[in-house]
Amino acid sequence: MRVIPLTVTALAAALALTACDSGGSGTNSKNGSACEIGKVSVQVGPASVAPAAGDTGEVPVSLTNQSAPCTLDGFPGVTLKAGGTSATVPAQSGAKTGRLKLAKGDSATFSISYVRGKDGDKASLAATSLTVSLPGGDATQSFPWKYGAVAGKGGSAENPNATVSTFQQAGD
């Protein structure tokens, strides 16, 4: 008679383990979907502008969720543009990102740190606009860049001396 209780116990354990499998990974509807650029309001600045070539400036970017709960999972995408030149701004070295869930009305921020370049120097990117995208989406939103030229690394304007921080919860 001992065989039946062991079989039932083994079957129950197998069913319990199967029930724990979510069947996939990534952001799902239970945890909220990825935040979309068209469903959040985005504000750039006010900035701490680098006053002269070689100085460092910081441009805060704030976003507020205007829709259903969503998740920011990764770094923001930032591109600086000058005429026909586009330069992607990399994430801060050593920065780690986590998941940040935003309910409707919740806000988050990130910062763009940059080194001011010399105006008219071929090793500086004379940026005129900034494009922002959110992780998990292809949509972008553009804003004017009015903080001066951005120094290039290694003498290349297409490799800006700038970085993007992780998302941080804003507000209460």
Side-chain angles (χ1 to χ4, degrees):
M1 287 303 199
R2 206 173 220 314
V3 173
I4 292 176
L6 285 175
T7 304
V8 170
T9 303
L11 180 60
L15 288 173
L17 287 173
T18 303
C20 292
D21 184 14
S22 66
S25 62
T27 307
N28 61 38
S29 58
K30 263 187 173 177
N31 296 327
S33 60
C35 293
E36 297 176 36
I37 199 85
K39 295 183 179 178
V40 298
S41 63
V42 182
Q43 179 182 349
V44 177
S48 173
V49 179
D55 291 340
T56 301
E58 192 157 317
V59 181
V61 179
S62 304
L63 47 112
T64 303
N65 184 15
Q66 302 295 324
S67 189
C70 64
T71 303
L72 296 167
D73 190 5
F75 285 94
V78 173
T79 303
L80 294 173
K81 295 183 179 184
T85 304
S86 293
T88 301
V89 178
Q92 287 176 340
S93 179
K96 295 183 182 185
T97 185
R99 290 185 126 183
L100 185 58
K101 294 180 182 178
L102 298 178
K104 183 174 182 176
D106 284 353
S107 298
T109 63
F110 67 90
S111 295
I112 303 162
S113 296
Y114 72 100
V115 175
R116 178 94 180 242
K118 292 180 185 177
D119 290 330
D121 186 355
K122 68 177 184 171
S124 295
L125 181 66
T128 56
S129 68
L130 148 77
T131 302
V132 176
S133 65
L134 299 179
D138 294 329
T140 62
Q141 192 168 354
S142 294
F143 302 89
W145 178 267
K146 36 191 175 179
Y147 314 112
V150 178
K153 290 182 186 174
S156 171
E158 293 175 0
N159 186 14
N161 192 350
T163 58
V164 176
S165 73
T166 61
F167 290 105
Q168 299 291 318
Q169 188 81 43
D172 300 342

